[in-house]
Amino acid sequence: MTATDTSRASRPSRARRPGAWTPWLYLAPALVLIGGLLVYPLYQLGLISFLEYTQAQVSGGEPTSFQGLGNYTELFRDAQFRQVLLATVVFAAACVLATLAVGCALAVLLTRVRALPRLALMLAALGAWATPAVTGSTVWLFLFDPDLGPVDSALSALGLSGFEGHSWTYDRYSAFGLVLLEVVWCSFPFVMVTVYAGLRAIPAEVLEAAALDGASQWRIWRGVTAPMLRPILVVVTVQSVIWDFKIFTQIYVMTNGGGVAGQNLTLNVYAYQKAFASSQYSLGSAIGVVMLLILLAVTLGYLRLLRRQGEEI
Amino acid sequence: MASLSPPPPAPGPGRRTARRARTPRTARTPRGLRALGLAVAALTAAAGCAPSTAVPGGRGDKNTGTLRIWLFREVDNAPKAAVVDRAVAAFAKDRPGVRVDVAYIPVETRAQRVKAAFNDPRSAPDLIEYGNTDTAGYVRDGGLADVTADVAAWAEAKDTDPAARRSVTVAGKVYGAPLFVGVRALYYRTDVFAELGLRPPRTLDELAATARRVHRERPALHGLAVGGAYTYGALPFLWAHGGGVAEKKGRGYISTLTDERTKKGIAAWTALFGDDNCPPSSCAQRGGNATVESFASGKAAMAIGGDFSHRAMENSKVKGAYAVVPLPGAAEGTIAPAFAGGNNLGVLKSSSHRTLAVELMRTLAGKRAQADLFDAMGFLPTYTDVRAAAARRQPFVRPFVATLDAGARTVPVTPGWAAVDAAQVLPVMFQEIVSGRRSLDAAAAGAAKKMNEAFRK
Amino acid sequence: MNALRIRRPWRLAAEAAALLVAAVVAFPLYWMVLAAFKPAAEVQSAAPRPWTLRPSLDAFRRVFDQQDFGRYFLNSLLVAGTVVVASGLVAFLAATAVTRFRFRFRTTLLVMFLVAQMVPVEALTIPLFFLLRDAGGTVPGIGLNTLGSLILPHLAFSLPFAVWMLRGFVRAVPEALEEAAYLDGASRARFLWRILFPLVLPGLMATSVFSFISTWNDFLFAKSFIISATENSTLPMALLVFFKDEGNDWGGIMAASTVMTVPVLVFFVLVQRRLVSGLGGAVKD
C-alpha cells in the first residue's frame, strides 16, 4: 500500500469499455440504499418544510395545509434564529480550526517519538474517539463541575482561589469554550491518525534530501510536507466542517439544552427545542433544510476554491 | 532543491481528468437550479398529498388476546415489576384467554416512544404510564382515550385527591387514572441548624433570612440551594404570593406572569440568587437535579427536594443529618402550594381492547396496587386515605403528605404548555433576571408574550 | 522514519510532551472508569479524589442486572457487525465503480456521496419513521421494531463516507495489475474479488471503524424505531435508563458507558495498525 506514483497512472482508462453498464451494476446496491433511505426521506423533509405539519396532522387526523415559504419566513423573521445561526457558524469554525491545529500538531509529534510514547498517545486518542458523545460530554461536565469536579479543586489547591466553585458554563464564551474542548477531545483523534498516516506515507528520502539541503523544519513543512499532505488535509477539513456544524449532543448535554437564557444554542439544538420537543415538524424540517443548504454552500465553495488551485476532489 | 518547491503539477493524464471533470460541474449548476425549480413546482402540486399520517381511532373492542402495557423503567426496577406482576396475575386469573405483556421503557426515551406509538398504531400498547405534565399534549395529539364515563363509574376514584384528578382532566374530560404523585418540600441540615441555633423557617421571608444567615456564618455552604432552571422549585414562590403562571380565560389560557402578585413571587425567588446565598455564577444554570445534588454532597444547608429524592439522600453523606419540613408560605402557619408531579395511567385511543385496558388501568392504579407500590418504591399514593395510611407506616413522607393535603397545584393543562416547556420560557426568564441581563419587569413581560403565543397556537 | 535524525534532547522533550498529552487525553476516560468503581456516596462527594480506596462493583451490578441486558448487547453486536460487513462490501463495489471506470455522471455521483454526508440525521428520523412503518407492512424484517429498521438506515448513512474513504484505496492499486490480470484471462469478477478486494482490505478495515462507532453509539434510531419490541433494543438504551428526571445515577451512567466503550476500544486496538496504514493509503494520490 505504498504505491505513490503508480497510482497516478491508474486513472480510469477508456480502454475497457465493454459493458458500459458495469459501473452502474457495481453502484446499484449503494444507489438503491442511499436513494431509498436517504434521498427519498430527504425529499419528504423538503416537502414537510412547506407544509403545516404538527402532531395533530400526523396522528390527530387533521388535514395538512400548504404553507409555501411560510415556515421559512417565520424562521428568518425570528431574531433569535438569526443569532443562533451566527453563533453556530462561528462556533463550528472555531471547532474546525482547533481540531485541525491540535490534530496536525500531534500527528507531527507522533512522528518524532519512539514506539512507547507513540503507543500511549495513540491509545489515549483512540479511547477518546471510541467514547460515545453522550458519555464524553457528561464526563467533561463532571470534570468541570463547580462542586464535584476535580478541575476547580485542583486549580484552587494550586492557590488560584478564584476558581473555588467557579462555574465554567455561566459565561457565554466560557461555556462555548468548554464545549469546544470536548469537541476537540473527541474529534482530534480522527485528524491526528489520518494526518499521521499521511505523514508516514511521505517517502523518507524526500525529507532527507530536504534536510540535507539545510532547510529548516518549518521550511520543510511548508515546502514539502504540507503540499504532499494536501489531499489528506482536504478530507479532514471537509469532514470536520460537516461534523462540527451539526453538533448536537455536546451542546445539549453540556449546556443543559442551550445554556443560561439560551446563550449557547446552536442550530441543531435550536431545531430540536423549537420543533421536535413540541412536535412542530414543519419548522424542524425547515431548519434542517437551511442547515443542509449552508453546509452545502460552505463545502462546495471550499472544494471549488481548491479546484481552482488545481486540486482534484 | 527541487524537493523544496511544491510538487510539480500532476503530469498529463491527471491534469486532463481534472479539467474534464470540471466541465460537467460548471454545466450542472443551472441544471440543478432548473431541477430545484421543477421540484418546487411539483411540491406545490403535491401539497394535497401530504406525507403519510396515522389512521386514528380504535379498532374494535376484543375481550381476549394480548393486552400490551408500557411502564417506565426505574433504575431499580425489580420491586416495581414484582408489584405489577402480582396485580397483573390477579387480573389475568379472572380472565381466561387474556395475556398481559408488560414492557418497561427508559424514561429518557418516552417522548419518542409515545409519539411513535401514536403514529404507528400497530406498535402501540393498550395502556401506558405517562408523566402528568404530558396529559394535555397527548390528548391534543389524539393519543389518549376519553375514559370519563369509566372513571365516574369507579368507586375508588372518588378518594383521588383533587390535584391528581386535575392532572388527568383536559377540558372537563378524564383521560386516565393517576398512579402516584410526587411533591417537593424543604430539606434542611439538622447539624448546621443546631450549631447556628436556627429553627426551620416558618415563612418564605424567614426562609430567605435563614439562608443568608447560614451563608454568612458558613461561607462554604449555600444557605438554600436554588437553580435558575428549577421551575418546580420556583413555582411555589409564585403561588405562595398569590400569583401564578397562567389562568384560564374563556376557552384558553392567558399568562399571569406580569401580575403584581406573581412578580412579588418572582422577586422573592430570584432574590435568593446572590453572593449572600447562592451566587448566580454557580446557581443560575442549575435544574432540580443539580440543586438536590448540591445538598446531598453537603454544599448547601437547605434545598427544595422531592419525596423521590429521599433515597438519594439516604445514600449520600448527609444521611442522618437532615430533616424535611413543608415549604412555608408567605404568612406564618401556611404551606406554600407545591407542584404536584407524578405519573398517570392512560388507555390509548388506538387500543383494540378498550374495556380490558380500562379494567387493567383500574387494577394497576387501584388502592391495593398503589399501597403496594408505595411500600416497594416509595411512590406516594394518589388516594387521600391510602396516602394517610402510608404516612403512618413511613414517617419520612409526613411532610410531603402534609404539603399535598394543604393543596398542591399543577401547571396549566393545555397543549400550549408543552411548547412553553420545550422553549424553556420560565428558566430563560429566571436566568435573565438573576444574571442581570434584563429587569424583572422586562423579563416577565417577554416571557408572558412567548407564553401567550404558545397558548394561542 | 525521520525520528532517527532528531537530536536527543529534542526527542526526549517531544516524548515527554507526547506522554503528557496522552495523560491529559486519557484523564476523562480514567475519571469515567473511576466514577464507575466508586461507591455511590463518593461519586457525590464535594472533595473528589482521583482514586478510591473502596472500589465497588455496585454500579456495574446495576448495569448488568437490567432485564435483557445480554440481549441488548448481542443486538448491538449484530446490528453493528452487519452494518460493518454490508457497508464494506457495498462501498467497495461503489468505490471501484467511481475510481476505475469513467462514465457519465461520475463526478455528479461523487459530489452526491459528499453531499449525502451533510444531511442532518436528526431531521430525517421523522420521514424515515413513516418510510419504515409503511415498508414494514409489505416487507417483513425491515419495518419498525425489527433489527432491520436499525441496520438499513445505518447502512445508508454510513455508505457515503465509506465510499468517499475507499476511493483512495482502490485508486492506489496499480492499473498494471489489472491489465496483467486480464491478460492472464481473469474475468472481471475474478479480478474484483480475488485481486482487488484483498488489496483493498486494509482500507476496508479503516473504513469499518467509522461505521462501527456510529452504529454502536447510536441513540437516535434506537429510540425512534424500536417502539414496542423492547427485546430488539440496543445497548445505548441500557445507558439511558440511568438518566432520570429526578436525578441522574452518575455511577450507573459511568459504568454503562465503560461497558459500552470497551468493545469499541478492543475493536480499535485490533484494527489499529491497519487503521493507520489504511488511512495513509486512502489519501495518497
Side-chain angles (χ1 to χ4, degrees):
Chain A
M1 295 304 302
T2 46
T4 312
D5 291 323
T6 38
S7 61
R8 282 228 188 274
S10 72
R11 285 267 72 90
S13 67
R14 285 169 174 279
R16 289 188 310 281
R17 287 234 61 166
W21 44 268
T22 315
W24 293 104
L25 192 69
Y26 288 179
L27 279 166
L31 290 183
V32 167
L33 280 165
I34 293 176
L37 290 152
L38 221 151
V39 177
Y40 177 68
L42 194 61
Y43 158 74
Q44 292 254 306
L45 186 79
L47 188 61
I48 292 174
S49 77
F50 290 107
L51 300 174
E52 147 113 71
Y53 202 63
T54 66
Q55 191 65 34
Q57 274 80 31
V58 178
S59 61
E62 279 185 35
T64 51
S65 62
F66 185 68
Q67 298 287 306
L69 290 171
N71 292 315
Y72 293 93
T73 14
E74 187 176 341
L75 271 188
F76 281 96
R77 218 178 275 146
D78 176 3
Q80 200 187 0
F81 171 79
R82 293 193 303 258
Q83 188 212 325
V84 169
L85 186 63
L86 179 70
T88 309
V89 172
V90 174
F91 179 66
C95 285
V96 170
L97 289 179
T99 309
L100 288 178
V102 171
C104 291
L106 292 181
V108 173
L109 186 65
L110 275 182
T111 62
R112 303 291 158 95
V113 299
R114 281 171 295 186
L116 195 67
R118 190 162 64 226
L119 188 70
L121 183 49
M122 200 65 125
L123 279 181
L126 293 182
W129 194 351
T131 311
V134 178
T135 309
S137 314
T138 313
V139 174
W140 274 81
L141 202 57
F142 210 61
L143 289 177
F144 284 82
D145 190 280
D147 290 337
L148 313 174
V151 172
D152 277 3
S153 344
L155 285 175
S156 41
L158 286 174
L160 300 161
S161 58
F163 285 102
E164 170 114 43
H166 174 74
S167 166
W168 296 85
T169 45
Y170 181 62
D171 177 69
R172 184 173 190 213
Y173 299 102
S174 153
F176 268 133
L178 182 59
V179 178
L180 182 130
L181 273 184
E182 204 281 338
V183 171
V184 171
W185 179 74
C186 68
S187 47
F188 90 85
F190 164 69
V191 178
M192 182 188 86
V193 174
T194 315
V195 173
Y196 172 65
L199 283 173
R200 282 221 327 199
I202 295 176
E205 315 85 68
V206 178
L207 296 171
E208 260 162 47
L212 285 179
D213 284 340
S216 68
Q217 292 289 331
W218 173 242
R219 284 215 65 194
I220 295 181
W221 167 264
R222 281 288 310 273
V224 186
T225 322
M228 293 191 84
L229 275 182
R230 233 168 112 148
I232 295 201
L233 292 176
V234 172
V235 170
V236 295
T237 310
V238 169
Q239 288 305 329
S240 298
V241 169
I242 292 178
W243 288 333
D244 291 349
F245 194 74
K246 295 196 290 184
I247 281 194
F248 178 84
T249 312
Q250 282 88 350
I251 291 279
Y252 194 76
V253 173
M254 297 183 72
T255 68
N256 196 7
V260 178
Q263 63 180 8
N264 295 114
L265 283 171
T266 58
L267 224 42
N268 226 348
V269 179
Y270 188 66
Y272 184 84
Q273 302 227 317
K274 190 93 189 156
F276 299 121
S278 51
S279 41
Q280 301 201 29
Y281 299 138
S282 30
L283 267 186
S285 303
I287 298 181
V289 171
V290 171
M291 280 179 62
L292 181 63
L293 291 179
I294 293 176
L295 260 181
L296 214 61
V298 171
T299 324
L300 293 187
Y302 177 64
L303 291 179
R304 166 164 256 174
L305 192 77
L306 287 173
R307 226 184 226 193
R308 211 167 279 154
Q309 294 170 1
E311 284 300 327
E312 196 196 347
I313 59 163
Chain B
M1 252 341 210
S3 55
L4 276 183
S5 56
R15 195 78 185 144
R16 222 182 305 132
T17 16
R19 213 177 303 128
R20 216 187 306 143
R22 203 182 303 147
T23 332
R25 242 192 117 254
T26 37
R28 215 182 49 255
T29 322
R31 219 190 300 152
L33 277 178
R34 225 181 304 136
L36 191 70
L38 278 177
V40 171
L43 281 183
T44 333
C49 54
S52 53
T53 53
V55 197
R59 294 159 296 163
D61 186 8
K62 297 181 222 139
N63 52 14
T64 54
T66 302
L67 207 53
R68 283 193 297 186
I69 154 165
W70 286 359
L71 299 174
F72 291 156
R73 177 189 286 237
E74 310 294 332
V75 167
D76 183 13
N77 202 49
K80 178 176 181 176
V83 172
V84 171
D85 287 348
R86 229 177 9 249
V88 162
F91 175 84
K93 212 177 78 190
D94 307 336
R95 295 169 181 80
V98 175
R99 223 180 69 83
V100 179
D101 178 14
V102 187
Y104 294 93
I105 61 172
V107 183
E108 257 286 312
T109 68
R110 69 182 185 275
Q112 277 89 350
R113 291 282 180 102
V114 172
K115 262 176 204 166
F118 294 166
N119 295 346
D120 180 30
R122 261 177 311 182
S123 307
D126 300 282
L127 188 63
I128 54 168
E129 175 179 353
Y130 63 92
N132 65 14
T133 50
D134 289 330
T135 313
Y138 290 175
V139 169
R140 190 254 332 249
D141 295 347
L144 292 175
D146 175 0
V147 292
T148 315
D150 311 78
V151 170
W154 178 25
E156 287 187 344
K158 70 178 192 312
D159 289 327
T160 303
D161 90 65
R165 194 175 303 145
R166 273 198 302 277
S167 78
V168 289
T169 312
V170 181
K173 291 187 181 145
V174 177
Y175 291 93
L179 182 63
F180 66 86
V181 286
V183 74
R184 293 168 177 82
L186 186 68
Y187 283 74
Y188 70 94
R189 286 276 294 277
T190 45
D191 53 342
V192 176
F193 272 51
E195 283 164 31
L196 300 179
L198 296 166
R199 60 171 193 196
R202 296 183 196 176
T203 64
L204 283 179
D205 287 340
E206 194 184 326
L207 171 72
T210 310
R212 295 198 179 99
R213 165 103 194 274
V214 171
H215 187 66
R216 204 164 48 237
E217 310 244 350
R218 297 270 187 284
L221 292 180
H222 298 313
L224 172 70
V226 286
Y230 191 8
T231 310
Y232 300 138
L235 287 177
F237 283 74
L238 276 57
W239 289 327
H241 285 88
V245 288
E247 66 186 21
K248 206 153 186 182
K249 204 160 203 184
R251 293 182 55 215
Y253 277 83
I254 183 153
S255 173
T256 52
L257 284 177
T258 47
D259 182 283
E260 283 311 314
R261 284 166 303 176
T262 309
K263 282 201 233 168
K264 248 168 97 183
I266 299 176
W269 170 253
T270 49
L272 290 164
F273 295 80
D275 291 336
D276 54 357
N277 174 46
C278 205
S281 63
S282 32
C283 305
Q285 292 171 288
R286 288 187 181 158
N289 284 346
T291 314
V292 170
E293 272 166 20
S294 150
F295 181 84
S297 62
K299 286 258 179 177
M302 293 182 279
I304 298 169
D307 56 287
F308 38 82
S309 311
H310 175 257
R311 196 182 299 189
M313 299 296 185
E314 286 297 294
N315 286 331
S316 77
K317 61 186 286 184
V318 298
K319 178 181 162 68
Y322 73 93
V324 185
V325 290
L327 185 71
E332 190 161 340
T334 60
I335 294 178
F339 166 72
N343 292 352
N344 301 334
L345 289 180
V347 175
L348 263 72
K349 222 184 206 172
S350 60
S351 168
S352 50
H353 301 83
R354 194 180 180 284
T355 310
L356 279 176
V358 169
E359 285 169 7
L360 183 58
M361 175 181 85
R362 287 203 286 229
T363 308
L364 285 174
K367 289 187 172 179
R368 171 79 197 278
Q370 286 202 9
D372 288 351
L373 207 52
F374 171 77
D375 291 333
M377 302 295 290
F379 294 161
L380 283 176
T382 59
Y383 303 99
T384 41
D385 54 333
V386 181
R387 200 155 66 210
R392 283 193 291 278
R393 291 199 297 280
Q394 288 286 352
F396 87 84
V397 301
R398 276 177 203 158
F400 299 104
V401 171
T403 304
L404 280 169
D405 291 344
R409 316 259 299 252
T410 49
V411 291
V413 189
T414 159
W417 186 256
V420 172
D421 210 21
Q424 303 194 306
V425 172
L426 290 178
V428 166
M429 175 187 78
F430 290 128
Q431 288 170 342
E432 282 172 347
I433 299 170
V434 303
S435 64
R437 251 163 257 205
R438 286 175 95 174
S439 70
L440 197 157
D441 288 327
K449 190 167 155 263
K450 281 193 251 175
M451 214 178 256
N452 286 332
E453 272 168 23
F455 289 149
R456 266 200 299 276
K457 269 187 188 156
Chain C
M1 286 272 338
N2 46 358
L4 301 174
R5 267 188 335 279
I6 297 165
R7 264 172 286 139
R8 202 179 153 78
W10 280 112
R11 194 180 65 197
L12 286 180
E15 286 178 350
L19 288 175
L20 186 72
V21 174
V24 170
V25 172
F27 188 72
L29 291 172
Y30 168 71
W31 205 259
M32 170 180 89
V33 177
L34 181 72
F37 280 106
K38 276 184 176 175
E42 241 177 88
V43 178
Q44 292 292 334
S45 156
R49 275 174 311 182
W51 65 84
T52 177
L53 298 175
R54 295 178 297 139
S56 141
L57 288 174
D58 280 352
F60 286 97
R61 213 163 284 138
R62 287 201 296 282
V63 174
F64 288 111
D65 281 353
Q66 281 185 56
Q67 193 188 341
D68 288 340
F69 182 84
R71 174 108 207 209
Y72 290 3
F73 196 91
L74 287 182
N75 285 342
S76 270
L77 269 186
L78 188 69
V79 171
T82 313
V83 169
V84 163
V85 172
S87 87
L89 293 180
V90 175
F92 165 65
L93 284 176
T96 307
V98 292
T99 43
R100 302 193 87 88
F101 292 89
R102 181 135 291 277
F103 51 96
R104 271 190 82 181
F105 302 125
R106 193 186 73 96
T107 325
T108 315
L109 271 177
L110 275 178
V111 173
M112 191 202 83
F113 283 129
L114 185 67
V115 172
Q117 295 172 46
M118 301 173 193
V119 178
V121 189
E122 290 83 2
L124 270 203
T125 40
I126 297 155
L128 266 176
F129 175 90
F130 293 113
L131 181 68
L132 290 167
R133 185 192 68 182
D134 299 341
T138 43
V139 190
I142 64 163
L144 295 173
N145 296 318
T146 62
L147 288 182
S149 71
L150 297 182
I151 293 173
L152 281 178
H154 277 301
L155 190 53
F157 278 93
S158 62
L159 271 179
F161 181 72
V163 175
W164 195 251
M165 287 297 287
L166 272 179
R167 284 183 320 138
F169 296 96
V170 179
R171 201 184 307 162
V173 175
E175 184 96 345
L177 214 58
E178 191 169 354
E179 254 128 48
Y182 292 135
L183 284 180
D184 287 348
S187 68
R188 205 185 278 284
R190 193 183 151 78
F191 167 75
L192 193 66
W193 296 112
R194 291 295 174 79
I195 299 169
L196 194 56
F197 186 73
L199 287 172
V200 174
L201 200 59
L204 271 177
M205 292 280 199
T207 314
S208 67
V209 164
F210 296 89
S211 27
F212 186 82
I213 292 188
S214 64
T215 311
W216 183 264
N217 287 349
D218 166 72
F219 291 80
L220 192 65
F221 291 164
K223 67 179 178 185
S224 307
F225 302 151
I226 303 296
I227 308 152
S228 57
T230 31
E231 72 275 12
N232 283 342
S233 280
T234 50
L235 215 44
M237 293 304 108
L239 167 58
L240 283 186
V241 170
F242 297 102
F243 290 90
K244 304 221 353 147
D245 288 353
E246 62 266 27
N248 293 335
D249 174 358
W250 293 112
I253 291 172
M254 297 305 163
S257 303
T258 308
V259 173
M260 263 185 79
T261 310
V262 165
V264 190
L265 255 185
V266 170
F267 184 77
F268 253 141
V269 171
L270 288 181
V271 300
Q272 195 235 113
R273 289 223 148 147
R274 299 197 180 242
L275 180 68
V276 173
S277 66
L279 287 174
V283 282
K284 269 175 293 164
D285 192 29

